[in-house]
Amino acid sequence: MTVSNNNQHDVVDLIKTQLSITDVVSKYVDLKGNSRLMKGLCPFYPENTPSFVIYPESQIFKCYCGSCAGTSGGDIFSFIMRIENINFVEALNMCAELAGVKLNKYQPKKAKSIKKDLTHALESATDFFKNSLNSRYGLPASNYLKDRGFSEKHIKEYNFGLSPTGLSTLVDHLKKVGVKSNSAVESGLVQKWADNTWHDFFVDRLIIEIRDEDNNLVGFGGRSLNNKTPKYINTPQTELFNKSELLFGLNLAKKDILKSKECVIVEGYMDVFAAHSEGFNNVVACMGTSLTFNQLNKAKKYADKIILCLDSDIAGKRASVNNLIKLINSHDNLSHIHKSIYIASIDSGKDPDDLIRQDPSEWEKVISEGTPLYKHLINNLDLVYDLTDNNQINDAANVVYKLVFQNTDSHSQDQTLSLLSTKLNINREKLPTPKILNRNLSPKPISNKTNGKQNP
Ligand SMILES: [Zn+2]
């Protein structure tokens, strides 16, 4: 249903009738209790006995822990504002989405018309790319796709395209169909060179449409067809394209993720296409090696369980553990969702793309045997930290504390400490003492070399 937010009270009431506070909060807190009262650990401060209370009948929460001291409480919106650290309008939009209520989001007229122009440019470009792939010049690219296992049907269905070899063929086409030159530039399709000439951004590449979760075309990915580096490029950051907030394929995968409550995140578009071709429809890509907090949050919106299946050779693993540590250190809220995150590793070192096509049942096994994030982190601390150095041991232990200690019961804390003491080869009693939980610790990587892969 769509409502205009002329009357915010109506919207707030409508969302409250559609969304129970218990459902929303239980995405962040383990709740136990009955229809009158639910209890869990305070999600805002560390504590060992549950003082955080939900009153489902009146749809409010209140926290009685020592740190909150009764000052935390309110409705769904105040909870989301506090836990996500966002303002009321953002919380309203987030809850509306969870409730399936469509808001006519307020946008200044100017921004709206700029977006319309950019969309027009992108839509014109995608037609052009698809026609190029279907022309006789597109034969090598079509053959490449067929070699990679795509059927004729899938090539059409996934809207592949081709950017020709000429330096300004798209520039000319966009002019012809009436796209304004500044829209062509601002949509990331065209670049102005220093000599004031206009050039295509994508030249001689297989083109992949990138759509947001609502199926709006926002940009493109381009794969080199002649071993030119980088192998993959994306539309640069634009008004419509913000890579760090997008999960590639979510528009196609959304329904299945909601149904299965599981979301698998891989690195590249080709992995997503391979998965979907084989019927694994809950797979999306973070488009590169550095998964972001926003991407995780986006997945969490639809799924209870997020399985990361990233590069599994040592260099790739080190890069991804490093990235996870960065996420833990810069986002306190990661501790709220860490229990939903699992890491799946392909031991054979194959790309998901290859494994899915060659051995779908092995892929299923890999995904179902994912390791919880905290275990994966502990197991791989030595990829990032020098565990013979006391300072680094201290930092390593504190990253684990930061991830695990803010929102878990004493039982899982106990398990974590055992695992950590085994990994660090230090007696439980002698483990480093936790620093202040919200202090940023920067990892000191032994080496941060990636395996030379570009983007996905
Ligand atoms: Zn509290």
Side-chain angles (χ1 to χ4, degrees):
M1 72 203 86
T2 305
V3 288
S4 102
N5 10 348
N6 291 345
N7 190 340
Q8 215 164 51
H9 292 295
D10 291 350
V11 179
V12 166
D13 287 345
L14 178 63
I15 291 172
K16 280 187 175 171
T17 61
Q18 304 286 317
L19 211 57
S20 94
I21 192 164
T22 318
D23 288 348
V24 173
V25 171
S26 58
K27 283 184 181 291
Y28 303 89
V29 184
D30 277 337
L31 292 170
K32 290 198 176 66
N34 53 45
S35 60
R36 301 177 63 89
L37 190 144
M38 311 280 293
K39 267 186 152 186
L41 289 172
C42 173
F44 312 118
Y45 298 99
E47 65 163 345
N48 292 321
T49 44
S51 324
F52 177 85
V53 180
I54 298 280
Y55 302 98
E57 282 169 355
S58 37
Q59 293 270 50
I60 56 169
F61 76 95
K62 185 115 187 133
C63 187
Y64 299 96
C65 81
S67 308
C68 289
T71 56
S72 310
D75 60 8
I76 301 184
F77 303 104
S78 2
F79 179 80
I80 291 291
M81 283 163 71
R82 176 84 194 268
I83 197 126
E84 295 288 346
N85 194 20
I86 54 181
N87 66 31
F88 177 74
V89 175
E90 289 166 323
L92 188 71
N93 285 324
M94 193 173 157
C95 291
E97 198 150 343
L98 287 170
V101 174
K102 275 217 162 97
L103 298 181
N104 291 326
K105 284 182 199 163
Y106 169 75
Q107 282 176 341
K109 239 195 176 138
K110 200 174 152 228
K112 247 187 190 165
S113 79
I114 291 176
K115 283 190 177 175
K116 218 176 118 197
D117 287 347
L118 299 192
T119 303
H120 176 219
L122 294 172
E123 297 282 0
S124 310
T126 201
D127 290 342
F128 174 79
F129 292 143
K130 274 185 259 181
N131 286 336
S132 307
L133 183 65
N134 287 326
S135 75
R136 62 194 163 98
Y137 304 107
L139 207 59
S142 297
N143 287 338
Y144 164 79
L145 285 169
K146 281 173 196 157
D147 285 347
R148 285 199 71 153
F150 288 100
S151 65
E152 201 76 64
K153 178 179 153 259
H154 281 142
I155 295 176
K156 281 224 159 56
E157 202 176 303
Y158 297 149
N159 290 319
F160 285 113
L162 172 72
S163 62
T165 47
L167 284 181
S168 59
T169 43
L170 181 64
V171 171
D172 298 339
H173 174 78
L174 293 179
K175 251 186 229 158
K176 226 187 299 169
V177 296
V179 170
K180 296 174 201 156
S181 52
N182 57 340
S183 308
V185 173
E186 283 164 25
S187 62
L189 292 164
V190 168
Q191 289 178 317
K192 196 176 183 181
W193 285 11
D195 60 358
N196 275 333
T197 53
W198 307 85
H199 293 273
D200 295 355
F201 180 76
F202 295 100
V203 175
D204 195 16
R205 284 176 182 270
L206 178 74
I207 295 292
I208 293 127
E209 280 188 346
I210 302 177
R211 291 179 179 269
D212 67 13
E213 61 195 294
D214 298 320
N215 208 34
N216 302 306
L217 184 60
V218 292
F220 297 98
R223 189 197 188 280
S224 151
L225 285 167
N226 53 10
N227 293 323
K228 194 169 63 187
T229 54
K231 200 156 129 193
Y232 286 97
I233 56 174
N234 297 312
T235 295
Q237 170 108 9
T238 70
E239 188 72 34
L240 298 178
F241 186 82
N242 183 356
K243 195 176 103 168
S244 67
E245 291 189 350
L246 283 165
L247 282 171
F248 175 79
L250 188 54
N251 56 322
L252 305 170
K254 203 160 80 172
K255 231 171 73 190
D256 280 78
I257 295 174
L258 273 173
K259 214 162 80 191
S260 63
K261 286 284 161 202
E262 279 188 21
C263 174
V264 179
I265 302 182
V266 292
E267 280 180 19
Y269 333 103
M270 288 305 183
D271 302 325
V272 170
F273 288 132
H276 289 206
S277 312
E278 294 295 328
F280 303 112
N281 293 325
N282 61 345
V283 180
V284 298
C286 56
M287 299 186 282
T289 44
S290 342
L291 179 75
T292 68
F293 183 66
N294 286 338
Q295 288 174 323
L296 278 173
N297 248 345
K298 187 144 279 187
K300 189 70 180 77
K301 216 167 74 182
Y302 298 99
D304 292 337
K305 185 175 178 186
I306 301 167
I307 302 135
L308 309 180
C309 187
L310 307 176
D311 228 341
S312 43
D313 62 22
I314 288 294
K317 217 178 199 176
R318 175 175 294 135
S320 79
V321 172
N322 236 323
N323 185 53
L324 287 169
I325 291 172
K326 248 185 251 156
L327 287 180
I328 294 166
N329 279 332
S330 51
H331 294 276
D332 285 347
N333 285 345
L334 195 67
S335 68
H336 299 307
I337 57 172
H338 88 85
K339 277 188 277 181
S340 316
I341 304 172
Y342 289 75
I343 315 288
S345 305
I346 303 173
D347 291 333
S348 58
K350 280 184 186 153
D351 282 338
D353 178 8
D354 293 329
L355 181 67
I356 293 165
R357 293 206 188 268
Q358 289 160 15
D359 195 349
S361 58
E362 178 63 20
W363 165 256
E364 260 175 303
K365 190 166 161 261
V366 165
I367 293 305
S368 66
E369 288 173 354
T371 317
L373 175 59
Y374 80 94
K375 268 194 192 160
H376 176 79
L377 177 67
I378 295 174
N379 289 341
N380 292 292
L381 282 173
D382 51 333
L383 287 181
V384 173
Y385 295 100
D386 174 0
L387 297 185
T388 59
D389 175 303
N390 278 338
N391 285 331
Q392 296 218 16
I393 288 178
N394 205 19
D395 286 353
N398 272 285
V399 170
V400 176
Y401 298 153
K402 176 143 197 238
L403 178 70
V404 172
F405 278 17
Q406 295 198 46
N407 192 30
T408 35
D409 50 64
S410 44
H411 176 64
S412 19
Q413 294 186 3
D414 194 58
Q415 277 184 319
T416 309
L417 289 178
S418 303
L419 208 62
L420 187 62
S421 101
T422 313
K423 177 71 186 181
L424 298 178
N425 204 10
I426 298 176
N427 280 341
R428 278 280 295 264
E429 317 75 61
K430 294 200 171 135
L431 281 173
T433 31
K435 297 180 189 170
I436 305 163
L437 283 172
N438 59 8
R439 214 199 97 188
N440 275 1
L441 304 161
S442 47
K444 299 179 190 80
I446 300 169
S447 150
N448 187 18
K449 273 184 221 144
T450 58
N451 57 355
K453 263 196 193 170
Q454 308 278 346
N455 277 331

